[in-house]
């Protein structure tokens, strides 16, 4: 049968084992931008906690832990671009997204013995 995607608390648990670091450590910032990145990350976390309050996924997550989670996704995600179905369609646009392929992520990084 077809495998269903891993979502919710199970995905959250699996993500904890991925390689990663705070997302701002994966970006080269100009002077002063790091503090802005930390501030925006805190705002996004507060918004996510509000929107997802029924899911009980983020209640105890700190801003640094959230930044680490975003960094894990950035380091382990694979970008996917799907072209429009009809090349003749002048308004057709490609769809772009990212996906986490946990098996690919596991073999893509060195493991500590």
């Amino acid at each position: 049968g077809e495998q269903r995607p891993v979502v919710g608390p199970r995905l959250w648990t699996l993500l904890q084992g991925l390689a990663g670091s705070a997302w701002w450590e994966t970006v080269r910032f100009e002077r002063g931008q790091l503090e802005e990145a930390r501030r925006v990350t805190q705002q996004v976390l507060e918004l996510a906690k509000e929107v997802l309050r029924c899911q009980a996924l983020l209640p105890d997550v700190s801003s640094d832990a959230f930044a680490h989670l975003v960094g894990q996704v950035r380091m382990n995600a694979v970008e996917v671009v799907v072209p429009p179905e009809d090349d003749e369609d002048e308004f057709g646009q490609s769809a772009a997204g990212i996906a986490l392929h946990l098996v690919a992520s596991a073999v893509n990084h060195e493991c500590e013995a």
Side-chain angles (χ1 to χ4, degrees):
E2 190 174 317
Q3 284 190 331
R4 297 179 58 176
V6 178
V7 297
R10 185 157 183 262
L11 176 60
W12 183 264
T13 301
L14 289 171
L15 288 174
Q16 301 308 308
L18 294 178
S21 59
W23 75 265
W24 48 67
E25 293 176 12
T26 68
V27 178
R28 192 169 296 171
F29 285 117
E30 300 284 327
R31 176 176 287 179
Q33 290 179 318
L34 178 57
E35 286 308 312
E36 177 70 5
R38 288 178 179 271
R39 188 185 65 72
V40 169
T41 300
Q42 180 62 39
Q43 289 176 330
V44 169
L45 176 59
E46 289 170 10
L47 180 60
K49 284 181 178 183
E50 179 64 27
V51 170
L52 300 173
R53 68 180 173 270
C54 314
Q55 301 294 321
L57 289 175
L58 300 172
D60 299 325
V61 175
S62 69
S63 183
D64 286 340
F66 184 66
H68 186 81
L69 173 65
V70 173
Q72 288 173 300
V73 172
R74 284 179 54 91
M75 289 180 71
N76 293 281
V78 177
E79 182 178 14
V80 178
V81 178
V82 180
E85 287 185 22
D86 186 359
D87 289 337
E88 307 273 326
D89 181 3
E90 65 182 276
F91 298 108
Q93 294 183 355
S94 297
I98 61 170
L100 285 173
H101 298 280
L102 298 175
V103 172
S105 292
V107 298
N108 194 31
H109 299 288
E110 285 188 38
C111 296
E112 294 180 16

